[in-house]
Amino acid sequence: MTSSFYIAWHYVIFNRVRSVTLVACITLIAFLPFALQLLLAESQQLLQSRATSTPLLLGARGSALDLVMNSLYFDDEVPERISMLAADEIADTGLGYAIPLYVRFLARNYPIVATSIDYFDFRGLAIADGRMFTLLGESVIGADVAEDYGLAPGDSIVSSPETLFDLAGIYPLKMTITGVLERSHTPDDRAVFVDLKTAWVIEGLGHGHEDLGKTNDSSVILKRTEDKVIANAKLLQYTQITTDNIDSFHFHGDASVYPVTAVLAVPHDAKSATLLRGRYLDNTQYHIVRPTEVIEGLLESIFRIKTVIDSVIAIVGLATVLAIILVFALSVRLRQRELSTIFKLGCSRMTAVKLIAAEIAFIVLASSVISTGLLAIIGANAETLVRMLIFR
Amino acid sequence: MNPGSRVLNIALLLLVSFIAGSAERLTVYTVNYPLAYFAQRIGGEHINVVFPVPAGVDPAFWQPDVRDITAFQQADLVLLNGARYAKWIERASLPRRRLVDTSAAFRDAYINVSETVAHQHGPGGVHSHAGTAFTTWLDFSQAIEQARAIKLALEKMLPQYSDVFTRNFSSLERELGSLDQRIMAIVSQDRDKVFVASHPVYQYLTRRYNINLETVMWEPEVVPDQAQWQSMQQLLRSHKAKWMIWEGEPHDQSVKRLNASGINSLVFDPGANAPEKGDFISLMNRNIMELEKAYRE
C-alpha cells in the first residue's frame, strides 16, 4: 500500500497543473457552502442581538429597513429627518422614555452618532479610558476608532464635510475626544459619539463667532440698527469649541424642532410598548417599528437568497464531481500504456485501482486541508467580514 | 445575651437600616435655590438635594466646570427651571431621561424680553437678560406649578412614598398660596402705585400682581454713573415712581441720592441663590414686608 501512495504522490507532483486544478475545484465546492453558512450565521447573530436589545424605533414614514440599519448599525443610508418634537411626544406619553438619534455625519469615515447620554446607560456602554462628554464639541469614541487611528482622550477628531463642494454648508468641526468606550463587539465600537447639540453645530444650526457688538472690523458688518447687527459671510465662525469661545456658541430658532434621524423608544413594559405602537398606527408623519420584526424580514430575504445560492452550488458541485470523474476516466485512458507496463511487470488489476485511489485520496486530502484552513480564517474574521459586507 | 453582643447587634441594625435608607435616597440636582427648597420640602428625608452653585453667584449665569456637569450627569433627577434659565444647560450634555422641566406646564405663559444690554455683576461674568424672562417662581401660582412638577417626578421615581410627597406638597402649596394672597391683598390697596426696579427680574411678579413697574439696569453694589442717573430722571418724567425695588442691598450712596430725588428703596430679593439667613419662605416673607412699606405710605 505504501508503494502505491509513493507512486501516486510522484504522479500527482509530476502532473502539477492537473492536480492543482482538481484541488482548486474540489476546495471551492467544499468551501463555498460552509463559508456562506458561517457568514450568514454570524450576520444573523449580529443583526438579531442588536435588534432584540432595541424595543422600538420611531422615524419618518418610509423605509423601515433604512431606519433600523441607520439607527442600530449606523449604516450610511440616512432616513428622512424628523424633529425633536417626536422625542418629546414619546416622553410626554408617560409610556416610556425616548433617546433621540442623529446619525448623519462622518468623522474619518466613522459615523458620528449624536444622541443623549441616556444612550450609554441603555446600551450598557462604559468608558474604558477618560470620561463622558460634558460640553458642546466633545466626543467619546468606540474602541475600534481609537485602535485604528491610535486616538486617546485629549486628541481631536474632525467631522467630514458631506460633499467636497459644500462651501456654504457644513464646516468641519474639530471635536475633542474625552473618552474611549470599552469594547462591546457591536457597531458602537466603530462610532464617534457626540451630544445632539454638537451635531447641530456641525449642521450649522448653532455656531460661535466673534461678538458683533464688540468687533473692530467694520468689513464684517452688513447692517447695524439700534437693536440688531447683521454680519456678512466674512464673519469667521469658530471651527473648534474651546473653553475660551464656548460662551459665544448659540443656537438659532426653536431647538424643539431641530432634526434627528430616529427616536429610540424604551417603553416601561410590554403593555406600554403595545399602547405606544397603537398611538402611531394611523400617524401620517411617523411610523414606529420593532427592529426585531424588520430584521427578521431582512433575514428571511437573505435566507431565501441563500436557498437559491445553495441550489446553484449543489448543481455546480454535481457538475464538478462529474467533471472530476471524467478527468480521472480520461486520464485512465491516456495512461493505457503506463497501466499495461504495470500489468507486464506482474502487478494485479487491484494494484492499478489502488494507485488511482491513492491519487484521488491525495487530491481530496489537499482540498480538505485547504478548505478547513480557509474556513478557520473565515470563522476567526466572520464579524469583521460581516461588518464589511453588510453594515458598511 | 451579654451587653457586648447586644451593643453589636444594635450597631449592626443601625448600619443595615442606614444602608437600606441611603440606598433608596434619590440624588436630586437643581439649577436654582427655589427648586432645591421645593424639592427638599416635598422629598424630605427620602431624597438628597444638591444645589451646587456657590453662594454669591447668580445661578442663572453660573459657569459649571466639567466636574460639576459630571455630577449633574450622574444625578437620579435633575430639576430645571425652564424658561431658558441657566444658560450653561444649552452647552452641556445632560441625561434627557432624568431632566424635569418644572415650568413646562406653563410654557405658553413665558414672557419674552427684548432688552439686549450686556452687563456684569458678581462672579457670573458678562451677561444679558434678553430672550425669555426666567424668574418664574416670583409668580407664586407658577411656583406652585413648579413644586407640583417636582412632586410628580418624585412620585414617579419613588411611588412607595407618594403619600408623604402629597402631604409635603400640600403643606408647601398652602404656604406659597398664602404668599400669593398676601401680595394680592397688599397690591390691591393702591393699584396706582408705581415702581422702578433695579434689574429686569420682576416680570412674572409684576404680571401676576399687576404692579406698575419700569426697569433700569442698575447694580445694587455699584453706584450708578451720571448717564444712568440721567436716564433715570428721564424715565421719572413719564413714570412717577416713589419707590425703587432692588434685588439686593443697595449701596448707601445710591440710596441717599435716590432719597434726595424723593425715591425710597426697598429690597425684594428674588432668592435665586440660597439666602444667608432663613429659607425661601422666610425670604419671601421679608420681601413682602418690604413691599408692604411702600403701600403703608
Side-chain angles (χ1 to χ4, degrees):
Chain A
M1 191 64 197
T2 319
S3 53
S4 300
F5 276 110
Y6 179 79
I7 294 167
W9 171 249
H10 279 278
Y11 181 81
V12 166
I13 294 294
F14 184 78
N15 295 288
R16 282 186 196 91
V17 177
R18 190 198 75 144
S19 304
V20 167
T21 309
L22 286 172
V23 167
C25 289
I26 296 170
T27 302
L28 272 176
I29 289 303
F31 163 77
L32 272 178
F34 288 113
L36 197 63
Q37 185 58 43
L38 261 177
L39 291 174
L40 278 176
E42 182 65 30
S43 61
Q44 186 180 7
Q45 197 270 330
L46 271 176
L47 286 164
Q48 277 181 332
S49 64
R50 187 80 165 169
T52 48
S53 65
T54 312
L56 293 170
L57 263 182
L58 181 94
R61 279 220 171 265
S63 165
L65 187 60
D66 281 355
L67 177 69
V68 171
M69 294 305 282
N70 177 265
S71 309
L72 269 61
Y73 313 102
F74 312 139
D75 187 80
D76 49 12
E77 196 65 51
V78 183
E80 200 180 317
R81 270 140 271 182
I82 55 174
S83 81
M84 274 295 284
L85 283 173
D88 295 335
E89 277 174 21
I90 287 178
D92 291 345
T93 62
L95 296 168
Y97 64 94
I99 304 173
L101 287 166
Y102 195 26
V103 188
R104 175 184 165 187
F105 304 109
L106 297 173
R108 293 201 183 182
N109 288 325
Y110 284 113
I112 294 176
V113 179
T115 184
S116 147
I117 62 167
D118 300 308
Y119 181 86
F120 300 91
D121 288 338
F122 172 72
R123 291 271 184 230
L125 299 170
I127 300 278
D129 189 13
R131 61 167 174 82
M132 177 52 64
F133 52 74
T134 55
L135 290 167
L136 210 59
E138 292 183 341
S139 64
V140 161
I141 57 173
D144 285 348
V145 183
E147 200 175 282
D148 289 358
Y149 290 105
L151 295 169
D155 294 337
S156 300
I157 191 160
V158 182
S159 68
S160 318
E162 282 190 315
T163 61
L164 188 62
F165 304 105
D166 190 14
L167 297 177
I170 291 155
Y171 289 94
L173 182 74
K174 193 174 178 185
M175 299 170 288
T176 308
I177 296 166
T178 60
V180 177
L181 293 172
E182 271 179 14
R183 189 174 295 284
S184 62
H185 300 284
T186 66
D188 297 322
D189 290 341
R190 301 168 63 79
V192 175
F193 291 93
V194 298
D195 191 274
L196 277 167
K197 285 173 268 193
T198 302
W200 293 332
V201 168
I202 295 173
E203 187 165 354
L205 296 170
H207 58 202
H209 50 74
E210 192 185 356
D211 187 345
L212 286 173
K214 291 179 187 165
T215 185
N216 296 320
D217 184 2
S218 58
S219 65
V220 300
I221 306 293
L222 195 67
K223 191 179 171 190
R224 193 190 289 271
T225 62
E226 204 169 277
D227 60 345
K228 205 185 286 177
V229 183
I230 301 169
N232 58 33
K234 193 187 168 192
L235 180 73
L236 195 67
Q237 292 183 19
Y238 300 125
T239 53
Q240 184 177 14
I241 303 170
T242 64
T243 47
D244 293 332
N245 67 22
I246 190 165
D247 288 342
S248 76
F249 274 82
H250 54 277
F251 295 90
H252 293 278
D254 181 6
S256 67
V257 294
Y258 279 5
V260 291
T261 46
V263 178
L264 209 157
V266 189
H268 298 310
D269 46 38
K271 188 183 168 189
S272 304
T274 310
L275 290 171
L276 205 51
R277 292 186 76 190
R279 289 192 182 212
Y280 289 92
L281 274 180
D282 299 324
N283 196 302
T284 51
Q285 198 179 356
Y286 309 127
H287 67 155
I288 198 160
V289 298
R290 277 185 65 209
T292 41
E293 287 174 2
V294 178
I295 292 303
E296 273 164 21
L298 173 69
L299 288 171
E300 270 174 28
S301 306
I302 291 176
F303 281 112
R304 265 200 298 273
I305 296 167
K306 185 191 174 272
T307 313
V308 174
I309 294 173
D310 280 348
S311 311
V312 172
I313 288 175
I315 293 164
V316 172
L318 186 67
T320 310
V321 170
L322 290 174
I324 289 165
I325 291 169
L326 184 70
V327 167
F328 276 101
L330 288 172
S331 73
V332 168
R333 186 165 290 180
L334 284 170
R335 291 163 70 186
Q336 274 303 321
R337 280 179 60 209
E338 182 189 330
L339 289 171
S340 63
T341 309
I342 289 172
F343 294 142
K344 280 175 188 168
L345 285 170
C347 295
S348 65
R349 189 169 282 273
M350 193 60 195
T351 307
V353 171
K354 277 181 189 172
L355 269 173
I356 292 166
E359 284 167 24
I360 293 170
F362 273 126
I363 285 164
V364 170
L365 183 71
S367 300
S368 307
V369 169
I370 295 169
S371 298
T372 311
L374 286 173
L375 284 173
I377 293 168
I378 293 284
N381 298 289
E383 195 188 320
T384 317
L385 281 167
V386 168
R387 283 191 200 291
M388 277 168 54
L389 295 171
I390 296 181
F391 298 137
R392 290 196 72 76
Chain B
M1 190 184 283
N2 66 44
S5 59
R6 187 172 293 164
V7 169
L8 191 69
N9 282 344
I10 292 168
L12 274 172
L13 197 69
L14 284 172
L15 184 70
V16 167
S17 58
F18 172 75
I19 291 167
S22 58
E24 264 190 79
R25 270 163 67 100
L26 291 181
T27 301
V28 180
Y29 268 67
T30 73
V31 295
N32 62 26
Y33 170 69
L35 296 181
Y37 177 78
F38 299 162
Q40 194 61 71
R41 281 286 304 268
I42 298 165
E45 62 186 8
H46 304 298
I47 61 170
N48 174 33
V49 180
V50 184
F51 170 53
V53 182
V57 176
D58 185 348
F61 303 102
W62 177 54
Q63 303 282 1
D65 58 23
V66 167
R67 216 169 35 187
D68 294 319
I69 298 172
T70 304
F72 268 93
Q73 288 182 340
Q74 287 161 358
D76 296 309
L77 206 59
V78 177
L79 300 178
L80 305 179
N81 188 75
R84 303 191 78 178
Y85 187 88
K87 302 291 176 213
W88 64 269
I89 292 168
E90 289 179 9
R91 297 173 199 118
S93 305
L94 295 177
R96 280 177 56 87
R97 188 190 168 187
R98 286 168 270 158
L99 298 181
V100 177
D101 180 352
T102 58
S103 64
F106 54 89
R107 192 175 285 157
D108 295 340
Y110 288 162
I111 298 171
N112 285 318
V113 275
S114 55
E115 177 271 323
T116 55
V117 177
H119 56 282
Q120 183 170 16
H121 53 93
V126 178
H127 61 262
S128 155
H129 293 262
T132 309
F134 49 67
T135 41
T136 50
W137 61 91
L138 290 185
D139 170 343
F140 294 110
S141 67
Q142 291 184 168
I144 290 170
E145 289 312 310
Q146 291 187 269
R148 196 188 309 280
I150 296 170
K151 179 207 148 212
L152 291 173
L154 292 178
E155 276 179 344
K156 204 186 276 183
M157 298 204 69
L158 296 174
Q160 67 272 38
Y161 300 122
S162 178
D163 291 347
V164 180
F165 299 152
T166 304
R167 209 168 40 243
N168 292 346
F169 169 70
S170 298
S171 155
L172 178 63
E173 187 183 23
R174 269 195 305 277
E175 289 177 43
L176 291 171
S178 158
L179 294 174
D180 187 57
Q181 291 307 310
R182 275 182 65 196
I183 301 191
M184 288 277 195
I186 291 167
V187 174
S188 66
Q189 292 168 23
D190 184 358
R191 291 273 178 219
D192 298 326
K193 192 160 282 291
V194 288
F195 293 87
V196 175
S198 67
H199 225 69
V201 289
Y202 301 106
Q203 297 92 341
Y204 295 102
L205 182 87
T206 53
R207 183 179 68 180
R208 168 72 178 169
Y209 306 105
N210 203 12
I211 299 172
N212 188 353
L213 181 143
E214 288 289 335
T215 303
V216 289
M217 195 62 68
W218 288 13
E219 305 304 336
E221 67 275 17
V222 181
V223 179
D225 58 25
Q226 202 49 42
Q228 286 174 306
W229 282 112
Q230 275 172 3
S231 59
M232 170 66 107
Q233 294 300 333
Q234 204 169 353
L235 173 68
L236 289 174
R237 266 180 228 133
S238 57
H239 187 76
K240 309 280 184 202
K242 294 284 179 204
W243 285 87
M244 177 142 186
I245 302 178
W246 297 85
E247 58 177 337
E249 205 56 55
H251 197 283
D252 280 349
Q253 280 185 38
S254 307
V255 174
K256 277 180 194 162
R257 193 159 172 187
L258 280 170
N259 274 335
S261 308
I263 299 169
N264 297 306
S265 294
L266 68 89
V267 176
F268 195 107
D269 183 349
N273 207 328
E276 283 177 20
K277 281 187 293 182
D279 57 25
F280 181 80
I281 298 291
S282 62
L283 175 71
M284 290 304 145
N285 275 319
R286 278 202 300 276
N287 285 338
I288 293 171
M289 280 161 66
E290 283 278 298
L291 198 63
E292 223 167 5
K293 281 194 318 196
Y295 286 89
R296 251 192 264 124
E297 209 183 26

